[in-house]
């Protein structure tokens, strides 16, 4: 029995009051700084999903597969280009700003921007030069050549946008980061692609839309950096500490690179073994299934610095309570999304086009894996922000090796479905491992009896959704009514089961802030 439950009634009451006060302080911090991150992230993910629907509907599975393969290659190239410097600029920019050492802040910003831009240009030239070799000899996809070339041209601008966003975070201007990366670039990309599609362009229009949005977003982000830090273009002499910056950034690069490989290697390996159509169907399911973790990503952006703050203060009790509350919210919000993906998998895949419906089982597998990802909460950040980033790096490297091995075996045996099984198993393995590590190292775990409420609501909503589909059907868009019904019933059941005190405080704060 834990010490907390062995306390007397008075001590327990004081703990509860203190926990409630902490939750109230937390919501105020969310309202002040995290609200725009959460909303911006939600808008960005919704916009990106809309883009994937447009690409699937207008390009078809095969051409969409070519686009997806090129996009995966450029995302891997982007990691080589940034070299983890986006983490370095955040850490040292914030550190030197706190010390009011403007000269070293300027040196850090200039160093990070210059090195990453130079690296991205080199990587882009290499990718452009060897685009035919990669497309024809490696992937056996001649149509990929010009796609890779356009993506290569966009790479320096995309990297510049990411680095400018990191600069905004260094100055704790997360709203500029969110506006640039999560709202402006995705929204502009959708608009440009839509216009080009209507003008008769297809694959070229899709890639050129990404290129154009990257160019404009780079200037958009740099303008914010100039506004936040006008000394950047002043006569102030910068103080450079490049060796120190790189010493911190390179390990972060390895962690980030392994993370990107986990998310992109399945598409790349499908490109090695399967036809473009299989890649297209798989990518559509991958994108749709990824929406299951939309709340996890949003909460991570808000609570990661709070985790670091509490751990550095040695306040493990409130860190544990916060971890438990945040994870329960993530689970409660993610469960109905998985339920919808599972019950209406065929209908959701049909939004991309009829030839994508065959990927319904891929969607179910990936959605379930992402539900497990969401269900363990911010375990990765719990390790990173508590100074155990080396363990996080080892985790990622091990799971990359597992993922590659499983993909080789499963793709050769089951094609795109095998890629889903390989990626799904890898996601589940890495997240369960992190959960165990957090428990063993930090002596913290996120679960308690309060989790039974969302699972009861999920069970009742599942029964409704299945009955609706059996007796009413899902043709001609009527499944959307079932979808809405699932969400309404889920929410009503949760309310009827009763909200906890910290939940009421959080909801009240959200109501006051936004309504």
């Amino acid at each position: 029995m834990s010490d907390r439950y062995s306390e007397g009634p008075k001590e327990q009451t004081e703990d509860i009051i203190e926990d409630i006060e902490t939750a109230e302080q937390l919501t105020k911090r969310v309202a002040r700084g995290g609200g725009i991150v959460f909303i911006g992230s939600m808008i960005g993910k919704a916009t990106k999903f809309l883009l994937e629907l447009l690409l699937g509907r207008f390009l078809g599975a095969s051409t969409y597969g070519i686009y997806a393969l090129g996009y995966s290659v450029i995302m891997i190239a982007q990691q080589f280009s940034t070299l983890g410097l986006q983490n370095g600029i955040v850490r040292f920019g914030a550190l030197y700003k706190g010390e009011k050492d403007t000269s070293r802040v300027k040196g850090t910003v200039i160093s990070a921007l210059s090195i990453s831009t130079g690296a991205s240009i080199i990587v882009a030239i290499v990718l452009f030069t060897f685009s035919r070799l990669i497309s024809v000899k490696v992937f056996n996809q001649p149509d990929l050549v010009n796609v890779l070339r356009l993506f290569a041209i966009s790479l320096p601008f995309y990297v510049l946008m990411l680095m400018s966003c990191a600069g905004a975070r260094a100055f704790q201007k997360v709203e500029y980061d969110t506006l640039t990366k999560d709202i402006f670039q995705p929204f502009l990309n959708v608009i440009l692609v839509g216009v080009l599609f209507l003008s008769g362009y297809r694959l070229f229009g899709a890639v050129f839309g990404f290129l154009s949005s990257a160019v404009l977003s780079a200037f958009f982000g740099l303008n914010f950096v100039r506004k936040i830090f006008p000394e950047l273009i002043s006569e102030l002499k910068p103080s450079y500490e490049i060796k120190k910056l790189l010493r911190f950034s390179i390990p972060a690069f390895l962690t980030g690179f392994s993370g990107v490989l986990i998310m992109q290697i399945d598409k790349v390996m499908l490109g090695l073994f399967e036809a473009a159509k299989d890649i297209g169907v798989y990518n559509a399911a991958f994108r749709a299934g990824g929406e299951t973790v939309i709340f996890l990503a949003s909460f991570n952006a808000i609570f990661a610095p709070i985790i670091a703050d509490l751990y550095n203060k040695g306040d493990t009790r409130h860190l544990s309570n916060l971890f438990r509350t945040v994870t329960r919210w993530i689970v409660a919000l993610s469960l109905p999304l998985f339920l919808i993906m599972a019950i209406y998998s065929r209908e959701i895949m049909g939004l991309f086009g009829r030839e994508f419906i065959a990927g319904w089982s891929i969607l179910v597998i990936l959605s379930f894996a992402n539900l497990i990802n969401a269900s363990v909460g911010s375990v990765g950040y719990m390790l990173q922000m508590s100074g155990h980033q080396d363990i996080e790096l080892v985790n990622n490297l091990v799971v990359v090796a597992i993922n590659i091995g499983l993909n080789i075996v499963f793709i050769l045996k089951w094609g795109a479905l095998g890629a889903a099984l390989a990626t799904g198993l890898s996601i589940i393995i890495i997240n369960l491992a992190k959960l165990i590590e957090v428990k063993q190292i930090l002596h913290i775990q996120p679960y308690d009896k309060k989790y039974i409420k969302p699972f009861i609501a999920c069970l009742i909503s599942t029964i409704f959704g299945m009955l609706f589909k059996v007796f009413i059907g899902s043709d001609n868009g009527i499944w959307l009514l079932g979808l809405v019904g699932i969400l309404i019933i889920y929410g009503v059941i949760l309310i009827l089961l009763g909200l906890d005190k910290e939940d009421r405080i959080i909801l009240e704060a959200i109501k006051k802030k936004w309504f």
Side-chain angles (χ1 to χ4, degrees):
M1 183 177 292
S2 67
D3 293 338
R4 182 171 182 181
Y5 288 101
S6 62
E7 294 171 347
K10 181 179 178 180
E11 289 79 3
Q12 289 185 15
T13 301
E14 290 175 350
D15 285 345
I16 292 172
I17 292 173
E18 191 175 359
D19 289 345
I20 292 174
E21 290 174 349
T22 302
E24 190 168 8
Q25 294 170 2
L26 171 62
T27 55
K28 289 179 181 178
R29 292 177 69 175
V30 172
R32 284 197 301 266
I36 191 168
V37 176
F38 183 83
I39 293 175
S41 178
M42 297 286 286
I43 293 173
K45 287 183 177 296
T47 306
K48 290 174 183 177
F49 184 65
L50 175 61
L51 173 65
E52 299 301 325
L53 289 178
L54 280 174
L55 294 174
R57 299 289 296 189
F58 278 86
L59 297 180
S62 295
T63 306
Y64 177 57
I66 297 294
Y67 175 91
L69 185 56
Y71 183 83
S72 294
V73 171
I74 207 66
M75 286 300 103
I76 295 174
Q78 171 253 307
Q79 284 294 316
F80 278 110
S81 302
T82 55
L83 296 172
L85 287 164
Q86 67 270 38
N87 298 287
I89 195 175
V90 170
R91 185 179 190 276
F92 291 108
L95 178 64
Y96 297 146
K97 178 178 178 292
E99 296 176 352
K100 302 187 185 304
D101 191 340
T102 308
S103 178
R104 286 203 289 179
V105 172
K106 184 174 182 178
T108 298
V109 173
I110 292 176
S111 297
L113 289 174
S114 301
I115 295 172
S116 61
T117 301
S120 66
I121 291 173
I122 293 173
V123 173
I125 291 174
V126 172
L127 187 59
F128 191 97
T129 302
F130 293 99
S131 58
R132 181 167 297 279
L133 176 65
I134 295 170
S135 302
V136 178
K137 299 297 183 180
V138 177
F139 293 113
N140 194 29
Q141 300 288 349
D143 293 337
L144 182 62
V145 176
N146 290 328
V147 171
L148 283 182
R149 288 174 177 173
L150 284 176
F151 272 130
I153 295 172
S154 71
L155 180 61
F157 299 100
Y158 189 74
V159 167
L160 201 54
M161 178 201 72
L162 294 178
M163 295 303 301
S164 65
C165 289
R169 293 198 303 276
F171 290 91
Q172 298 181 10
K173 297 292 184 180
V174 292
E175 61 272 24
Y176 293 151
D177 172 31
T178 301
L179 284 171
T180 303
K181 186 175 62 180
D182 294 327
I183 296 178
F184 184 78
Q185 192 273 331
F187 184 77
L188 187 62
N189 197 5
V190 167
I191 296 298
L192 291 171
V193 168
V195 170
L196 289 167
F197 278 174
L198 291 175
S199 301
Y201 299 98
R202 289 295 182 261
L203 184 56
F204 172 82
V207 186
F208 191 77
F210 178 88
L211 167 61
S212 302
S213 66
V215 172
L216 295 173
S217 298
F219 288 105
F220 191 73
L222 286 174
N223 182 61
F224 277 143
V225 174
R226 182 190 61 80
K227 181 179 179 180
I228 298 168
F229 187 55
E231 291 85 354
L232 184 64
I233 55 175
S234 70
E235 295 182 357
L236 174 69
K237 185 177 180 180
S239 177
Y240 299 105
E241 293 186 334
I242 297 176
K243 186 177 180 180
K244 187 176 181 180
L245 178 65
L246 289 174
R247 187 183 299 120
F248 174 83
S249 300
I250 296 301
F253 153 70
L254 294 174
T255 301
F257 180 66
S258 59
V260 168
L261 280 182
I262 294 171
M263 301 305 294
Q264 303 295 340
I265 196 66
D266 45 3
K267 273 86 72 178
V268 172
M269 297 193 73
L270 273 174
L272 294 174
F273 300 118
E274 300 293 325
K277 181 179 179 180
D278 296 306
I279 305 171
V281 172
Y282 179 86
N283 192 68
F286 184 90
R287 295 292 181 182
E291 299 304 312
T292 309
V293 294
I294 185 172
F295 295 107
L296 172 64
S298 300
F299 273 97
N300 277 343
I302 298 170
F303 292 111
I306 300 175
I307 293 171
D309 182 44
L310 290 175
Y311 185 82
N312 289 334
K313 291 177 179 177
D315 193 352
T316 55
R317 188 169 69 83
H318 280 136
L319 176 58
S320 178
N321 292 339
L322 173 61
F323 183 37
R324 189 176 297 113
T325 299
V326 170
T327 305
R328 181 160 49 82
W329 270 70
I330 293 171
V331 170
L333 292 170
S334 301
L335 273 173
L337 294 182
F338 166 71
L339 184 57
I340 290 168
M341 297 291 178
I343 294 177
Y344 295 112
S345 56
R346 294 178 183 271
E347 291 75 14
I348 291 172
M349 291 300 294
L351 294 175
F352 292 90
R354 292 190 61 84
E355 57 187 329
F356 289 87
I357 296 176
W360 69 270
S361 57
I362 298 174
L363 174 58
V364 174
I365 292 170
L366 293 176
S367 296
F368 177 74
N370 282 316
L371 176 64
I372 300 299
N373 185 7
S375 298
V376 301
S378 306
V379 285
Y381 281 103
M382 290 290 287
L383 292 171
Q384 289 181 30
M385 298 300 163
S386 62
H388 298 90
Q389 61 273 11
D390 291 342
I391 294 177
E392 177 73 344
L393 173 59
V394 172
N395 286 335
N396 286 349
L397 292 176
V398 170
V399 83
V400 165
I402 292 173
N403 197 8
I404 292 175
L406 290 177
N407 268 290
I408 292 174
V409 175
F410 289 176
I411 289 175
L412 290 174
K413 191 169 185 179
W414 296 302
L417 182 63
L421 289 170
T423 300
L425 281 173
S426 300
I427 291 173
I428 292 171
I429 289 170
I430 188 64
N431 281 284
L432 292 180
K434 291 178 183 179
L435 182 66
I436 294 171
E437 289 163 355
V438 169
K439 170 65 175 176
Q440 295 297 318
I441 297 171
L442 303 179
H443 307 291
I444 293 174
Q445 62 87 22
Y447 307 115
D448 58 25
K449 63 182 180 180
K450 295 177 182 178
Y451 279 80
I452 194 171
K453 294 178 181 179
F455 281 100
I456 291 174
C458 182
L459 177 61
I460 296 174
S461 300
T462 300
I463 294 172
F464 166 81
M466 296 301 294
L467 291 175
F468 186 96
K469 189 169 184 178
V470 170
F471 291 103
I472 298 180
S474 58
D475 296 331
N476 301 320
I478 198 171
W479 66 275
L480 293 172
L481 294 177
L483 183 154
V484 173
I486 288 173
L487 295 176
I488 291 175
I489 290 175
Y490 182 83
V492 169
I493 296 299
L494 276 184
I495 293 173
L496 291 176
L497 290 173
L499 297 175
D500 297 303
K501 290 183 179 180
E502 58 264 48
D503 297 334
R504 293 183 184 278
I505 292 173
I506 292 173
L507 289 173
E508 183 63 27
I510 293 173
K511 180 180 178 181
K512 288 181 179 179
K513 175 65 180 179
W514 301 106
F515 302 99

